[in-house]
Amino acid sequence: MLQGAKMLRSLLTLRQTSQRTINTTSCRQFKNRVPEKQKLFQEEDGLPVHLKGGVTDHLLYRTTMAVTVFGTIYAVYELFVAGMPKKQK
Amino acid sequence: MTHQTHLFHMVNPSPWPIMGAMAAMMLTVGLVLWFHCNLNLILLLGLTSTLLIMFQWWRDIVRESTYLGHHTPPVQKGLRYGMILFITSEVFFFLGFFWAFYHSSLAPTPELGGQWPPTGITTLDPFEVPLLNTAVLLASGVTVTWAHHSLMEANRASAIHALILTIILGLYFTALQAMEYYEAPFTIADSSYGSTFFVATGFHGLHVIIGSTFLMTCLYRQTMHHFTSNHHFGFEAAAWYWHFVDVVWLFLYISIYWWGS
């Protein structure tokens, strides 16, 4: 808890420092959206971290699973075919 | 609602480790089928799934640390040990290729003309592009250290500038080396000279690309305010890896390019 408070304090300090630094340089401004992300991912919705970001997470997970499972089964099939004796003429 | 009373990280069940293992099998089987059976679909699927899994697994680690605060000091200590052990394993990986080089070059066989470099091999001048490459990587070691100090001093703009410079230098090295490969007067098939040269420098080049990608991820995270002045282990891991890549190059330069020419 104390660690979390310290982290948050240093995050806020960095935000203030970075805002000061950015205002005096020609760097593009990137708003600090970490607190918003922290709120999103700390929601008590029972979702595991790999699906907690939203719909994109689910889509990406399913695509990856599809490619991996298909590829694995196909690889085992091709290994089986490669291991079978060739037909003689 | 229960809370843990210790500082260690109890990870959510994740699909990435098992899927990563399946992807690794697809890569290895895919390579074999490409070499021997003229089939490249499995290799392509393996590369695709490996990239997807790497992206999501590391994305989850960023979520667990930056957004969920799970990387307490003991957890970070474990990550430090892990990175050091990984880099040590990579050192041993390269040691093997240096062993092969010295095995071939210290006692050149009659098939090579009893000399090193072997008869008929035109070596690259170590004081031309290879020396420039050495300067580029050494400079990138300086810029990555500058980035680290800027980060520790909460100097955001400086950290971003130094990181960008480091990445540019890394990409410059890769471009120079690609040009050298294209223009080289010998190929990988030219006796053990060619094989030791291209396998050792080739794996090194791959590690430069990996290191540059790691640094680009750090640049993204720095612009997104993920790092704080006293907690930025992802960056430190990238910097350690980058220094390792630099040191491997120095050994390559001295052994293969200079002594071996």
Side-chain angles (χ1 to χ4, degrees):
Chain A
M1 195 62 193
L2 195 60
Q3 289 285 349
K6 274 188 186 160
M7 260 190 84
L8 186 61
R9 208 177 306 125
S10 48
L11 257 169
L12 288 168
T13 315
L14 181 63
R15 186 169 168 242
Q16 285 173 338
T17 317
S18 61
Q19 281 184 340
R20 272 203 296 276
T21 315
I22 284 167
N23 285 338
T24 58
T25 67
S26 55
C27 263
R28 278 183 65 193
Q29 295 220 24
F30 283 97
K31 186 165 174 271
N32 186 354
R33 296 191 190 278
V34 171
E36 293 164 29
K37 293 282 196 180
Q38 286 172 332
K39 190 162 171 275
L40 168 70
F41 285 100
Q42 288 176 33
E43 249 183 74
E44 300 267 353
D45 53 15
L47 284 173
V49 74
H50 67 280
L51 295 171
K52 221 168 159 90
V55 175
T56 324
D57 282 7
H58 285 83
L59 278 169
L60 208 50
Y61 168 71
R62 280 176 206 205
T63 311
T64 312
M65 185 62 91
V67 171
T68 310
V69 168
F70 170 74
T72 304
I73 294 171
Y74 181 41
V76 171
Y77 165 76
E78 284 291 351
L79 280 173
F80 179 75
V81 165
M84 284 288 113
K86 283 197 185 64
K87 282 190 193 144
Q88 298 296 324
K89 267 191 198 166
Chain B
M1 191 170 27
T2 53
H3 287 104
Q4 66 182 46
T5 52
H6 61 82
L7 290 169
F8 297 98
H9 184 191
M10 307 305 287
V11 189
N12 289 152
S14 170
W16 311 129
I18 185 81
M19 285 167 76
M22 289 156 74
M25 190 187 86
M26 285 160 69
L27 284 175
T28 45
V29 170
L31 270 174
V32 169
L33 291 172
W34 182 43
F35 290 161
H36 296 284
C37 306
N38 201 30
L39 291 162
N40 54 15
L41 178 63
I42 293 171
L43 180 60
L44 288 167
L45 289 175
L47 284 165
T48 310
S49 54
T50 304
L51 286 168
L52 282 168
I53 290 161
M54 281 177 169
F55 170 74
Q56 290 170 94
W57 195 339
W58 278 315
R59 175 207 66 191
D60 288 352
I61 295 172
V62 169
R63 290 176 175 180
E64 288 160 0
S65 55
T66 307
Y67 305 149
L68 292 167
H70 285 298
H71 286 197
T72 59
V75 171
Q76 213 194 113
K77 195 172 171 202
L79 291 170
R80 283 173 191 276
Y81 275 126
M83 192 65 193
I84 287 169
L85 287 168
F86 172 65
I87 291 175
T88 307
S89 77
E90 293 252 77
V91 168
F92 281 102
F93 178 72
F94 276 97
L95 261 168
F97 297 119
F98 277 100
W99 184 347
F101 169 73
Y102 280 111
H103 174 92
S104 297
S105 58
L106 283 168
T109 60
E111 290 87 348
L112 303 173
Q115 63 178 44
W116 193 274
T119 317
I121 294 281
T122 322
T123 60
L124 299 169
D125 187 341
F127 299 108
E128 290 190 356
V129 174
L131 186 60
L132 172 60
N133 273 343
T134 307
V136 166
L137 282 185
L138 285 172
S140 72
V142 170
T143 53
V144 81
T145 307
W146 170 25
H148 191 197
H149 283 269
S150 303
L151 207 51
M152 290 189 288
E153 289 156 22
N155 190 341
R156 179 179 162 81
S158 214
I160 291 172
H161 291 152
L163 248 179
I164 289 173
L165 260 176
T166 311
I167 292 164
I168 288 173
L169 287 166
L171 294 173
Y172 186 34
F173 175 95
T174 304
L176 285 168
Q177 205 51 339
M179 189 208 70
E180 282 283 273
Y181 270 32
Y182 186 73
E183 301 282 342
F186 53 86
T187 70
I188 197 171
D190 287 318
S191 77
S192 55
Y193 185 89
S195 30
T196 53
F197 180 90
F198 283 107
V199 170
T201 61
F203 271 118
H204 173 261
L206 178 64
H207 283 72
V208 170
I209 292 166
I210 292 167
S212 302
T213 310
F214 198 169
L215 288 166
M216 282 188 255
T217 313
C218 289
L219 177 62
Y220 172 76
R221 293 188 68 201
Q222 166 63 2
T223 58
M224 301 304 271
H225 300 264
H226 287 196
F227 297 137
T228 70
S229 56
N230 57 7
H231 189 169
H232 43 259
F233 176 66
F235 174 84
E236 288 182 66
W240 290 351
Y241 195 79
W242 194 251
H243 288 305
F244 152 72
V245 158
D246 189 6
V247 170
V248 170
W249 172 259
L250 294 174
F251 278 96
L252 280 173
Y253 180 73
I254 287 166
S255 308
I256 298 182
Y257 284 91
W258 197 348
W259 178 83
S261 68

